[in-house]
Amino acid sequence: MPRSFLAELAAPGCKVPVRACELESSPVWLFASIGEYPVYDEVAYDAMIKDERRMGAYHDAVRRYAPGRTVLDIGTGQDAVWALAAARAGARHVWAVEVIPESARIARENIKKAGFADRITVVEGLSTEIELPEPVDMCVSEIIGTLAGSEGAGSVLRDARERLVKPGGVLIPHRGATAAVALDLESATLGEPPAFPTFVLRYVEEVFASVGRPFDLRVVIEGVQDDPKVRERSYMSGAAEVEPLEFNGKLRPEGVDGAELTFTREGRFSGLALGMRLWVAEDDEPIDSLVQPSSWTPVYAPLSEEGLPVRPGDRFEFEFTTTMSDDGVHPDYALVGRLHRASGPAVPLSWSSTHHGDGFRETPFYRSLFPAP
Ligand SMILES: C[S@@+](CC[C@H](N)C(=O)[O-])C[C@H]1O[C@@H](n2cnc3c(N)ncnc32)[C@H](O)[C@@H]1O
């Protein structure tokens, strides 16, 4: 009995076949990277609220910096968690900005119920398009994506620093980065082609609908980060950092970062797992989505469909490029590299992932995930 099967997506304007699977039969599966699209729902907000490591680090930082200060909470979400935490910690006033109208409405209700309507003002809209009566002392946000900048943290927080926060004001989080590790997909999935569990299909449809057409959307790989045994059989190298985002320093939303991964074991190199590291406060240990269970999941960047055989000591050298898409907020990503093996010449490999680009079924990975009708 094959564990994956073809299902159909009701994508805008056309039906799209997609490879799906039953969750129970697949230890490792795919999800859409959704945080960079306006498709948050109760389930997504709930997963973030239940992420104890994330909640603990943010609560500590907010309690430390908010007392006596004016605060901007960018992307407050329906629960207004950091706006409420700041008010409870003694912030003088909080501006809570949220772009999804329904989330802003529920946030307003929650704030009223909690008795903080006089100290928290909910502003519906994009932080990049609002004005505040005066710059604030501190800005808290959690718009960190599956890749550090994929939800627009680089451009959004640079804009906040320039227009909405006082010079020298504090930004929480302090720093983010994307971290890459070499992956053996076949070992990760125990030979099964990776697929979307059926409950994920509606998110894929929603991402397609928000962009207006099907495209090769960014996918994340679930089930690897949480389990040391799965990590051991999947990851083939140490991790290297790219896309550094210094929210309290020189913030660079675009750039090119060089990195190198050395293989530590034999296997088939199929691509990279790209996770995010997040330092919520300056002296915190980072949250690391490559090796810790969390509400962030590593992106899978496919490089070779069949997997290239590698041995310990072989190297993958690459440049990781972040450029702003034409919406001015969400980055497009590209990676160009060379696999250096003791046996044979270097092999060029590349990957790209746009926020809302045109390409559909452009590579073997996506042709297999979305087979042509
Ligand atoms: C990852 S959720 C975080 C929600 C909540 N702050 C938390 O930490 O649980 C990000 C939220 O930010 C909103 N958002 C993202 N960018 C925004 C922006 N520039 N201005 C206003 N809201 C934004 C999204 O709609 C979403 O509700």
Side-chain angles (χ1 to χ4, degrees), residues 40-51 54-55 78-79 295:
Y40 286 90
D41 61 7
E42 196 117 339
V43 180
Y45 283 123
D46 198 47
M48 292 186 277
I49 297 291
K50 287 191 176 131
D51 180 343
R54 183 191 89 108
M55 295 302 283
Q78 63 176 19
D79 302 294
S295 46

Side-chain angles (χ1 to χ4, degrees), residues 306-325:
E306 65 287 354
L308 294 157
V310 292
R311 302 179 67 85
D314 291 346
R315 294 176 300 114
F316 181 57
E317 185 194 7
F318 64 97
E319 276 192 346
F320 186 88
T321 305
T322 311
T323 44
M324 210 42 69
S325 71

Side-chain angles (χ1 to χ4, degrees), residues 51 67 77 87 115 147 212 226 241 263 354:
D51 180 343
L147 306 178
D226 329 39
E241 254 177 49
F263 293 90
T354 62

Side-chain angles (χ1 to χ4, degrees), residues 149-150 152 155 218 243 252-257 320-335 352-356:
S150 57
S155 52
R218 205 166 286 152
E243 203 195 14
R252 186 178 57 94
E254 296 183 286
V256 182
D257 303 299
F320 186 88
T321 305
T322 311
T323 44
M324 210 42 69
S325 71
D326 58 13
D327 71 8
V329 174
H330 299 101
D332 292 336
Y333 294 96
L335 182 155
S352 67
S353 173
T354 62
H355 178 260
H356 52 271

Side-chain angles (χ1 to χ4, degrees), residues 58 61-62 65 138-142 170-174 248 280-281:
Y58 267 86
V62 170
Y65 291 107
M138 166 186 149
C139 171
V140 59
S141 66
E142 200 281 76
V170 180
L171 267 85
I172 299 170
H174 177 70
N248 283 302
V280 177

Side-chain angles (χ1 to χ4, degrees), residues 35 37-38 40 45 48-49 54-55 58 73-82 97-100 103 123 125-128 141-144 151-152 156 296 329-330:
Y37 304 96
Y40 286 90
Y45 283 123
M48 292 186 277
I49 297 291
R54 183 191 89 108
M55 295 302 283
Y58 267 86
D73 175 12
I74 294 181
T76 198
Q78 63 176 19
D79 302 294
V81 266
W82 311 131
V97 189
E98 175 53 53
V99 66
I100 301 177
S103 304
V123 183
L126 270 177
S127 64
T128 45
S141 66
E142 200 281 76
I143 49 171
I144 302 298
E151 288 182 24
V156 166
W296 290 275
V329 174
H330 299 101

Side-chain angles (χ1 to χ4, degrees), residues 163-187:
R163 294 190 312 114
L164 305 171
V165 182
K166 284 181 191 160
V170 180
L171 267 85
I172 299 170
H174 177 70
R175 177 175 200 266
T178 292
V181 67
L183 189 89
D184 180 338
L185 185 68
E186 201 178 272
S187 297

